[in-house]
Amino acid sequence: MSNRAAGLVLLVYVLARLLPLASCADLFAYNEEFAKSAAGRALVDGIALPWQQLAYMPHEGGGFLMSLLEVVAFALIGPSVLAVKLVAVFYGAGVLATLLQLAREHFSTRAAWFLAVAFVLAPDPFVRFSLIPVGTHYEAMLFVALVLLFALRLLRVEVGRPRDAILLGLSAGFGLYVSLQMLAALLAVALALVVCRRFRIATRETALALGAFVVGALPLWIMLATVGQSVIVIRGEAPVGEGIGPLRALGSLVTPITSSGDPLVWLHALLFAAVIVLGVAWRERAPRLVVLYLSVFALAYTASSLAHEYDPDGVAPWLGVLRHAPLWMFATLLAADGCSRLWAKGGAARVLALAAITVAAVSGARDLVGLMRTGRPGAPLENLRLLARTPGWTYFEYLDRIIPRIPGDLVARAAVLRVFDDDPRRSAPEIVRALFEHERMGDAEAVELVHTAFGDNAPVALRGLGRFLHTDWVYDFPREFARIEALPAEVREPLAEALGRAGVGPRFRADKLDEQLAIEVPAAHRAAWLRGAGWRVHQAFRFRPDLAEAYLASRPLTEQIDLHAGWHEARTLDTLP
């Protein structure tokens, strides 16, 4: 595959990823991506915290990398959802470019073409991951591919070039900062180099690689020195520890296939397994190194505390295979190699290779069309205009993470967070929600603290106390409205709206709206409650105002005026000028 052909493949990839984006497909429920955009905004807006504390999660160096890339995208094309998604599209193109280089340099040109087809027309979950820039398992594969690429260059010759050793070290070091799962690739590469060099490791290339590794991992050393063990504690769990057990964890790697009732999924998996077993040149270094890496990864995953059961009936079952990204990506590379070699043999072997890549392409094309249909494929320009005018960040998911890192009491923390350069009608309620959601104090005390912290903006800030009133997420609305009645008259209306905004269940769940609106609300608070529920309607249909308007029109006339007022305010404030 020539450089021009590779460039054509990357262009096709970008266009294929723009299709679901221009359809406004179901690619926006994973709010963590917009929380990481908020981390980038925190850097620009000057939040009074050291930069090491501004990352969404300390252990997610890849997430912070996404935050920085989004800062650049915001500066170039505006701080919109479209900018966030374009970061994902072009980063994914970088992943594919690296894999193509790995394939054409260490496997074959034909393998690179087969890989291109399977990657561009990837299964539904992996198309979604390529459009949700969270900087974790999927994005880390860029650096795993680079490490394998440079390691194989060193393994081809008795003494490797200094440049390749340096590039290997830099990729490994920075890749380890991006994701701790790089450890599996480092162990596999180290074992391969030691064995192939016949245990002669005290060499110049080793010294260069280790020195470059130390330099590449500089952000990780800084984080370890300033943040401590939270860099290796993943969502409250150490990577090693009690998990679901090795056998169940191993089973969870194949459950997404075995639990599927889709014949194409089964056929895709079986044909890829067949071409890997029958076609891969097991005596060559490149496939053996990839298999070694996948084996180390699988062993580490099944022995870790991070393995989890796959739930095919969950709200978003595709999220359950995010941690399987290395297996899909590099098993696909092996399958491309197997198809290439079987194709060269001709006859029945070629038929098997053709069947494998055809099923992969048909399955991927079907998934791509299906994903587009979850949106509004008939209005691409309108969809793109909407994405370009919707802010590319959310406050609460980010603030909920960094508030514990801010010293001082609630008032002091609020002062730090108010430097976000935004309309207080949008930001103040989110700041209050994050500040007070986990606090336990009297209602009058909370109201007084909001007035102290927000001054003239207190009436709008009070609209963020809904989760505070839902103590421990218990939805006891009669008791909560009784609490409001015990407070001064001037705060009752914003607090009733706060309960409406908090609603029932996750705020992006459209199926919870009817449940919320069926709740009986005291007449004195019903208008404010409905305006808050209008905000929930916007959150449920943030990227589909047509569906929001249809939902509002479906409600009784007695509700529509106040619901529409809340929805219209939410949408207006959630639109860039």
Side-chain angles (χ1 to χ4, degrees), residues 37-69:
S37 310
R41 286 209 62 204
L43 281 170
V44 174
D45 290 345
I47 296 292
L49 281 176
W51 69 265
Q52 303 94 322
Q53 297 284 2
L54 291 176
Y56 174 73
M57 294 287 278
H59 72 272
E60 291 184 350
F64 204 48
L65 174 61
M66 293 298 108
S67 298
L68 296 174
L69 292 176

Short mmCIF file of all heavy atoms in Angstrom, two decimals, residues 37-69:
data_model
loop_
_atom_site.label_atom_id
_atom_site.label_comp_id
_atom_site.label_asym_id
_atom_site.label_seq_id
_atom_site.Cartn_x
_atom_site.Cartn_y
_atom_site.Cartn_z
N SER A 37 -13.94 17.91 28.19
CA SER A 37 -13.87 19.21 27.53
C SER A 37 -13.88 20.32 28.57
O SER A 37 -13.20 21.34 28.42
CB SER A 37 -15.06 19.40 26.59
OG SER A 37 -15.22 18.30 25.74
N ALA A 38 -14.67 20.13 29.63
CA ALA A 38 -14.71 21.13 30.71
C ALA A 38 -13.36 21.25 31.39
O ALA A 38 -12.98 22.34 31.83
CB ALA A 38 -15.79 20.76 31.73
N ALA A 39 -12.61 20.15 31.47
CA ALA A 39 -11.26 20.23 32.03
C ALA A 39 -10.38 21.14 31.17
O ALA A 39 -9.56 21.91 31.69
CB ALA A 39 -10.65 18.83 32.12
N GLY A 40 -10.55 21.05 29.86
CA GLY A 40 -9.82 21.96 28.98
C GLY A 40 -10.23 23.40 29.19
O GLY A 40 -9.39 24.30 29.23
N ARG A 41 -11.53 23.63 29.37
CA ARG A 41 -12.00 24.99 29.66
C ARG A 41 -11.44 25.49 30.97
O ARG A 41 -11.14 26.68 31.13
CB ARG A 41 -13.53 25.01 29.71
CG ARG A 41 -14.20 24.89 28.37
CD ARG A 41 -15.54 25.60 28.41
NE ARG A 41 -15.38 27.02 28.67
CZ ARG A 41 -16.34 27.78 29.20
NH1 ARG A 41 -17.49 27.27 29.54
NH2 ARG A 41 -16.14 29.06 29.39
N ALA A 42 -11.32 24.60 31.97
CA ALA A 42 -10.78 25.00 33.26
C ALA A 42 -9.35 25.51 33.12
O ALA A 42 -8.94 26.46 33.79
CB ALA A 42 -10.83 23.83 34.24
N LEU A 43 -8.58 24.88 32.22
CA LEU A 43 -7.21 25.35 31.96
C LEU A 43 -7.23 26.76 31.37
O LEU A 43 -6.46 27.63 31.76
CB LEU A 43 -6.51 24.39 31.00
CG LEU A 43 -5.96 23.09 31.57
CD1 LEU A 43 -5.53 22.18 30.44
CD2 LEU A 43 -4.79 23.38 32.50
N VAL A 44 -8.11 26.96 30.39
CA VAL A 44 -8.16 28.25 29.69
C VAL A 44 -8.72 29.34 30.59
O VAL A 44 -8.23 30.47 30.61
CB VAL A 44 -8.99 28.11 28.41
CG1 VAL A 44 -9.18 29.46 27.73
CG2 VAL A 44 -8.32 27.13 27.45
N ASP A 45 -9.78 29.01 31.34
CA ASP A 45 -10.44 30.02 32.17
C ASP A 45 -9.68 30.36 33.43
O ASP A 45 -10.01 31.31 34.13
CB ASP A 45 -11.85 29.56 32.54
CG ASP A 45 -12.78 29.56 31.34
OD1 ASP A 45 -12.43 30.17 30.32
OD2 ASP A 45 -13.86 28.95 31.42
N GLY A 46 -8.67 29.56 33.77
CA GLY A 46 -7.82 29.89 34.89
C GLY A 46 -8.37 29.48 36.24
O GLY A 46 -8.29 30.24 37.22
N ILE A 47 -8.93 28.27 36.35
CA ILE A 47 -9.36 27.76 37.66
C ILE A 47 -8.15 27.72 38.58
O ILE A 47 -7.08 27.26 38.19
CB ILE A 47 -9.96 26.35 37.52
CG1 ILE A 47 -11.23 26.40 36.67
CG2 ILE A 47 -10.27 25.76 38.88
CD1 ILE A 47 -12.39 27.11 37.31
N ALA A 48 -8.32 28.20 39.80
CA ALA A 48 -7.19 28.36 40.74
C ALA A 48 -6.79 27.02 41.35
O ALA A 48 -6.90 26.80 42.56
CB ALA A 48 -7.56 29.36 41.83
N LEU A 49 -6.34 26.11 40.50
CA LEU A 49 -5.80 24.83 40.94
C LEU A 49 -4.59 24.51 40.07
O LEU A 49 -4.53 24.93 38.91
CB LEU A 49 -6.84 23.71 40.76
CG LEU A 49 -7.95 23.58 41.81
CD1 LEU A 49 -8.92 22.48 41.38
CD2 LEU A 49 -7.40 23.28 43.18
N PRO A 50 -3.60 23.77 40.60
CA PRO A 50 -2.50 23.33 39.75
C PRO A 50 -3.02 22.48 38.59
O PRO A 50 -4.03 21.78 38.73
CB PRO A 50 -1.64 22.49 40.71
CG PRO A 50 -2.03 22.91 42.08
CD PRO A 50 -3.46 23.31 42.00
N TRP A 51 -2.33 22.53 37.45
CA TRP A 51 -2.83 21.82 36.28
C TRP A 51 -3.00 20.33 36.54
O TRP A 51 -3.89 19.69 35.98
CB TRP A 51 -1.91 22.04 35.07
CG TRP A 51 -0.56 21.39 35.17
CD1 TRP A 51 0.59 21.95 35.61
CD2 TRP A 51 -0.22 20.05 34.80
NE1 TRP A 51 1.63 21.04 35.56
CE2 TRP A 51 1.16 19.87 35.06
CE3 TRP A 51 -0.95 18.97 34.29
CZ2 TRP A 51 1.81 18.66 34.83
CZ3 TRP A 51 -0.29 17.77 34.06
CH2 TRP A 51 1.08 17.63 34.32
N GLN A 52 -2.16 19.77 37.43
CA GLN A 52 -2.27 18.34 37.71
C GLN A 52 -3.61 17.99 38.34
O GLN A 52 -4.08 16.86 38.24
CB GLN A 52 -1.15 17.88 38.66
CG GLN A 52 0.25 18.16 38.16
CD GLN A 52 0.78 19.48 38.69
OE1 GLN A 52 0.05 20.45 38.80
NE2 GLN A 52 2.06 19.51 39.04
N GLN A 53 -4.23 18.97 39.01
CA GLN A 53 -5.49 18.72 39.70
C GLN A 53 -6.69 18.95 38.78
O GLN A 53 -7.83 18.67 39.17
CB GLN A 53 -5.62 19.64 40.92
CG GLN A 53 -4.57 19.42 41.99
CD GLN A 53 -4.85 18.16 42.82
OE1 GLN A 53 -5.80 17.44 42.56
NE2 GLN A 53 -4.02 17.89 43.80
N LEU A 54 -6.47 19.47 37.60
CA LEU A 54 -7.59 19.82 36.73
C LEU A 54 -8.04 18.67 35.83
O LEU A 54 -9.10 18.76 35.21
CB LEU A 54 -7.22 21.03 35.86
CG LEU A 54 -7.07 22.35 36.61
CD1 LEU A 54 -6.62 23.44 35.66
CD2 LEU A 54 -8.38 22.74 37.30
N ALA A 55 -7.26 17.61 35.76
CA ALA A 55 -7.68 16.46 34.95
C ALA A 55 -8.98 15.90 35.51
O ALA A 55 -9.22 15.91 36.72
CB ALA A 55 -6.59 15.38 34.96
N TYR A 56 -9.82 15.40 34.62
CA TYR A 56 -11.08 14.81 35.05
C TYR A 56 -10.83 13.71 36.08
O TYR A 56 -11.47 13.67 37.13
CB TYR A 56 -11.82 14.27 33.83
CG TYR A 56 -13.08 13.50 34.15
CD1 TYR A 56 -14.23 14.16 34.57
CD2 TYR A 56 -13.14 12.12 34.00
CE1 TYR A 56 -15.40 13.47 34.85
CE2 TYR A 56 -14.30 11.42 34.27
CZ TYR A 56 -15.42 12.09 34.70
OH TYR A 56 -16.57 11.40 34.98
N MET A 57 -9.93 12.77 35.76
CA MET A 57 -9.51 11.73 36.69
C MET A 57 -7.99 11.64 36.63
O MET A 57 -7.42 11.60 35.54
CB MET A 57 -10.12 10.38 36.31
CG MET A 57 -11.63 10.33 36.43
SD MET A 57 -12.18 10.28 38.14
CE MET A 57 -11.99 8.52 38.48
N PRO A 58 -7.30 11.62 37.77
CA PRO A 58 -5.83 11.62 37.75
C PRO A 58 -5.21 10.45 36.99
O PRO A 58 -4.15 10.60 36.40
CB PRO A 58 -5.46 11.56 39.25
CG PRO A 58 -6.64 12.13 39.95
CD PRO A 58 -7.83 11.71 39.14
N HIS A 59 -5.88 9.29 37.01
CA HIS A 59 -5.28 8.13 36.35
C HIS A 59 -5.49 8.14 34.84
O HIS A 59 -4.95 7.30 34.14
CB HIS A 59 -5.87 6.83 36.92
CG HIS A 59 -7.30 6.58 36.51
ND1 HIS A 59 -8.36 7.08 37.23
CD2 HIS A 59 -7.84 5.91 35.46
CE1 HIS A 59 -9.49 6.72 36.65
NE2 HIS A 59 -9.21 6.01 35.58
N GLU A 60 -6.27 9.09 34.33
CA GLU A 60 -6.59 9.12 32.91
C GLU A 60 -5.75 10.17 32.19
O GLU A 60 -6.23 11.24 31.83
CB GLU A 60 -8.08 9.40 32.70
CG GLU A 60 -8.98 8.26 33.15
CD GLU A 60 -10.44 8.53 32.85
OE1 GLU A 60 -10.78 9.67 32.46
OE2 GLU A 60 -11.24 7.61 33.01
N GLY A 61 -4.47 9.85 31.96
CA GLY A 61 -3.65 10.77 31.20
C GLY A 61 -4.19 10.95 29.80
O GLY A 61 -4.12 12.04 29.22
N GLY A 62 -4.77 9.89 29.25
CA GLY A 62 -5.37 10.00 27.92
C GLY A 62 -6.55 10.95 27.92
O GLY A 62 -6.77 11.68 26.95
N GLY A 63 -7.30 10.97 29.02
CA GLY A 63 -8.41 11.91 29.12
C GLY A 63 -7.93 13.35 29.12
O GLY A 63 -8.54 14.23 28.51
N PHE A 64 -6.83 13.60 29.82
CA PHE A 64 -6.27 14.95 29.85
C PHE A 64 -5.71 15.32 28.49
O PHE A 64 -5.78 16.48 28.07
CB PHE A 64 -5.20 15.05 30.93
CG PHE A 64 -4.99 16.46 31.43
CD1 PHE A 64 -6.06 17.26 31.79
CD2 PHE A 64 -3.71 16.98 31.55
CE1 PHE A 64 -5.87 18.55 32.25
CE2 PHE A 64 -3.52 18.27 32.01
CZ PHE A 64 -4.60 19.05 32.37
N LEU A 65 -5.15 14.34 27.77
CA LEU A 65 -4.69 14.59 26.40
C LEU A 65 -5.87 15.03 25.52
O LEU A 65 -5.74 15.98 24.73
CB LEU A 65 -4.05 13.32 25.83
CG LEU A 65 -3.65 13.36 24.35
CD1 LEU A 65 -2.62 14.44 24.09
CD2 LEU A 65 -3.14 12.00 23.90
N MET A 66 -7.02 14.36 25.68
CA MET A 66 -8.21 14.77 24.93
C MET A 66 -8.61 16.20 25.31
O MET A 66 -9.00 16.99 24.45
CB MET A 66 -9.37 13.82 25.20
CG MET A 66 -9.19 12.41 24.67
SD MET A 66 -9.02 12.34 22.87
CE MET A 66 -7.27 11.95 22.73
N SER A 67 -8.53 16.53 26.59
CA SER A 67 -8.87 17.88 27.03
C SER A 67 -8.01 18.92 26.32
O SER A 67 -8.50 19.96 25.87
CB SER A 67 -8.68 18.01 28.55
OG SER A 67 -9.53 17.13 29.26
N LEU A 68 -6.72 18.63 26.19
CA LEU A 68 -5.81 19.57 25.55
C LEU A 68 -6.08 19.68 24.05
O LEU A 68 -6.05 20.78 23.48
CB LEU A 68 -4.36 19.14 25.79
CG LEU A 68 -3.91 19.16 27.26
CD1 LEU A 68 -2.51 18.58 27.39
CD2 LEU A 68 -3.95 20.56 27.82
N LEU A 69 -6.36 18.54 23.42
CA LEU A 69 -6.69 18.58 21.99
C LEU A 69 -7.98 19.35 21.75
O LEU A 69 -8.12 20.07 20.74
CB LEU A 69 -6.82 17.15 21.45
CG LEU A 69 -5.53 16.33 21.39
CD1 LEU A 69 -5.83 14.91 20.94
CD2 LEU A 69 -4.50 16.98 20.46
#
